[in-house]
Amino acid sequence: MSAPSLTSFSAYPIVQAPMAGGAANPRLATAVAAAGGLGFLAAGYKTPEAMYEEIRQLRDQSTHPFGVNLFMPQPGATDPSAVAVYAEQLAGEESWYGTPLGDPDAGTDDAYDAKVAVLLENPVPMVSFTFGCPSQKVLESFRKAGTYTVVTATSVAEALAAQWAGADAVCVQGVEAGGHQGTHRDDPQLRCAGTGLLALLTQVREAVQLPLIAAGGMMRGGQIAAVLAAGADAAQLGTAFLVCPESGAHPLHKRAVTDPVFARTELTRAFTGRPARALVNRFVREHGPYAPPGYPQIHHLTAPLRKAAAAEGDPQGMALWAGQGHRLAREASAGHLMELLIAELRTAREAGA
C-alpha cells in the first residue's frame, strides 16, 4: 500500500509542532486542524495510557487528520559520575525551592515499545519520531497499519538514515528551533552546535527524495513561503503556537516568550542534558556552562526543581523553551493565528510570482 501525499493531510502546508511537556494538547491540535493546518500531539514524557487518552479526546473533538510524536529510546552511555557532580552543583537549587532532586535513573526509553504497540493497535494518521530513527521493521509495521511516518533530522546523514529505514518523510530541524534538538545521537563534541534551517534544508533536499517538513524559528507566513521555495513541502511551527490560549504551556512560560526581560535564547543542557533552545534565565546562566551530556538522566534530576519553580511563580527556574523568533510571537487564538499565517503566505507567494 503506497503512502498518501504529505500535502493531503491538511489544506495548508502548516504543521503545529508536537511540543512535549504540555503545550501540545487535543485542544490546540483541534483548533489548528479546523483552520486548515495539521495538529500534533506529543507523547513524550507521558505514559502510554495518557497518550491514548489524549488521542481519544482529540478524536472526540475533531475528524481531521493529526499526528503523534514519539521519543526514541536513549543509549545508556551517560557518565554517572558527571551526573553526580552536576547533582552536587544543584544542591543550592534544592534548598532554594525546598524540594529534593529527582532520580536520574528513572528510565531511558520513555515507554517507547508500549507506545508503539498502542499506536499499531489503534492507528493514527501520522506518527513522527524524535531523538533517533526507528528500525525498518517498526516503520514497515506502521506503513502496513496505514500510518504515515516522519523522522526528525538535524543533518544530511540523519535524513539519509531515515530514507534508508523506510520513513515516509523527514522533518528537517534547523538550529533556530525552540526546545530540544532532535539529533539521533547527542555528540558531546558538538557543544550545542547546529546548522541553520535554510542551509540544512537545501542540503537535505539535494540528498534525499522524501517529502520534507521544515522546522526552526518560523513565526510568519513569509518565512513559510521561503522554506517552501527552498524545497520543503510543509513548515512546522512551535513557538508561534505556544502562546495561543489553546496551548497547554504554563502561563508564566507564555508570558516570558514576549517579555522583554527575556531578550534572547540559547542552546543549553542545563535542564535535560540534551541541547535544547530556551529563553536565557537565571538557571540557564548559572548551570548551563556546567551541565554534562546526559539525557534523560538530567531531565529526571531537574524535573522537581522546574515543577517547584512553576508552582512558586518563578520563571527564572523554569525551562522556557522558545525558538529564535520568539519576539515575533502573537498572542492570538490558534484559529486567528492560522488565518494570519495563511494570509501572509499567500501575499508572499503572490509577491514572488
Side-chain angles (χ1 to χ4, degrees), residues 13-14 218 220-229 232 234-235 237 341-342 345:
I14 301 174
M218 290 173 287
R220 297 287 187 266
Q223 293 170 300
I224 297 173
V227 296
L228 296 178
L237 285 68
L341 292 170
I342 292 165
L345 172 59

Side-chain angles (χ1 to χ4, degrees), residues 24-345:
N25 59 20
R27 186 181 175 209
L28 178 61
T30 296
V32 170
L38 177 62
F40 249 94
L41 297 176
Y45 309 134
K46 293 185 175 72
T47 64
E49 294 77 16
M51 177 194 73
Y52 178 78
E53 176 59 22
E54 284 206 341
I55 293 171
R56 187 194 64 77
Q57 291 177 19
L58 179 52
R59 282 179 162 150
D60 285 345
Q61 299 171 19
S62 173
T63 58
H64 295 285
F66 64 94
V68 176
N69 177 256
L70 298 180
F71 286 172
M72 294 296 297
Q74 299 299 291
T78 299
D79 180 1
S81 63
V83 175
V85 169
Y86 191 56
E88 292 178 3
Q89 182 185 330
L90 296 175
E93 301 289 347
E94 283 187 291
S95 301
W96 180 260
Y97 291 115
T99 186
L101 296 174
D103 177 9
D105 299 316
T108 61
D109 67 353
D110 200 48
Y112 172 76
D113 289 336
K115 290 173 183 176
V116 167
V118 170
L119 292 171
L120 289 175
E121 186 175 340
N122 305 274
V124 298
M126 183 181 292
V127 171
S128 68
F129 302 87
T130 301
F131 301 151
C133 183
S135 66
Q136 289 179 303
K137 181 179 179 181
V138 167
L139 291 172
E140 180 60 25
S141 294
F142 275 113
R143 180 180 289 271
K144 290 179 179 177
T147 296
Y148 192 92
T149 55
V150 181
V151 173
T152 304
T154 62
S155 69
V156 172
E158 291 176 353
L160 287 168
Q163 178 172 266
W164 179 84
D168 293 313
V170 174
C171 178
V172 180
Q173 185 193 42
V175 73
E176 305 93 335
H180 285 98
Q181 287 286 291
T183 52
H184 293 190
R185 185 174 68 89
D186 182 15
D187 185 352
Q189 303 303 318
L190 293 180
R191 297 186 181 275
C192 294
T195 305
L197 177 58
L198 284 176
L200 179 61
L201 179 63
T202 304
Q203 294 173 48
V204 173
R205 179 70 290 160
E206 293 186 2
V208 305
Q209 285 71 54
L210 298 178
L212 305 180
I213 301 172
M218 290 173 287
M219 307 293 287
R220 297 287 187 266
Q223 293 170 300
I224 297 173
V227 296
L228 296 178
D233 297 87
Q236 179 172 286
L237 285 68
T239 307
F241 288 109
L242 187 146
V243 299
C244 294
E246 296 90 347
S247 157
H250 194 284
L252 289 174
H253 190 172
K254 292 184 180 184
R255 288 199 292 271
V257 168
T258 55
D259 187 342
V261 168
F262 301 99
R264 64 185 181 89
T265 66
E266 70 177 46
L267 287 174
T268 180
R269 298 183 190 273
F271 298 106
T272 70
R274 243 185 182 273
R277 185 169 296 283
L279 297 172
V280 177
N281 60 6
R282 178 191 62 79
F283 200 100
V284 171
R285 287 192 297 270
E286 293 184 1
H287 302 297
Y290 312 104
Y295 179 87
Q297 288 83 359
I298 303 298
H299 161 75
H300 296 314
L301 192 71
T302 67
L305 300 177
R306 290 177 274 137
K307 185 176 180 179
E312 292 186 14
D314 180 13
Q316 295 296 336
M318 298 170 60
L320 304 172
W321 307 133
Q324 286 185 339
H326 68 99
R327 297 300 295 276
L328 296 172
R330 296 176 281 202
E331 299 178 48
S333 69
H336 183 47
L337 178 58
M338 281 291 298
E339 291 176 359
L340 293 172
L341 292 170
I342 292 165
E344 292 164 354
L345 172 59

